[in-house]
Amino acid sequence: MTIRFREAEAADAEALAGLLSPLGYAHTTGSVRDNLAERVARGGAVIIAEDQRAVVGCVSALLDVRLAEGRCGEVASLVVAETRRGQGLGAQLVAAAEAG
């Protein structure tokens, strides 16, 4: 199956809330939309993985400049749908965030 990686948009908030819910995060579409907007406003990104128009994973990454290391990135959140785990999608999401 072909996986497409792209930056998350406000319209993806419902699907993202659905990914977070099985992990015990009680988010609404609105709270995810707010968190997404703030993450982007603070210089980060949320990349989603889509399979046949369904969101099957996401990674939230942020950029930082540290005194010793200089510019670096950090994965703040990484979620893969239970049905897609064990297929390398998490590594692909991290690679997409690094490339982005």
Side-chain angles (χ1 to χ4, degrees):
M1 291 184 192
T2 302
I3 300 291
R4 183 181 111 154
F5 299 95
R6 64 174 176 81
E7 287 193 36
E9 303 170 353
D12 298 312
E14 183 176 0
L16 292 170
L19 277 177
L20 295 169
S21 179
L23 300 175
Y25 296 99
H27 281 288
T28 64
T29 299
S31 67
V32 171
R33 188 179 302 118
D34 292 346
N35 288 349
L36 176 60
E38 189 163 348
R39 167 57 40 224
V40 172
R42 291 178 180 240
V46 176
I47 307 295
I48 63 169
E50 288 182 312
D51 179 7
Q52 299 175 342
R53 298 204 187 273
V55 175
V56 294
C58 68
V59 61
S60 173
L62 51 122
L63 296 174
D64 194 9
V65 178
R66 298 181 181 164
L67 184 61
E69 296 91 352
R71 185 179 165 144
C72 62
E74 180 177 336
V75 172
S77 303
L78 176 64
V79 181
V80 174
E82 187 174 354
T83 58
R84 299 303 305 263
R85 292 182 190 154
Q87 300 172 19
L89 188 55
Q92 291 174 32
L93 278 161
V94 170
E98 290 174 338

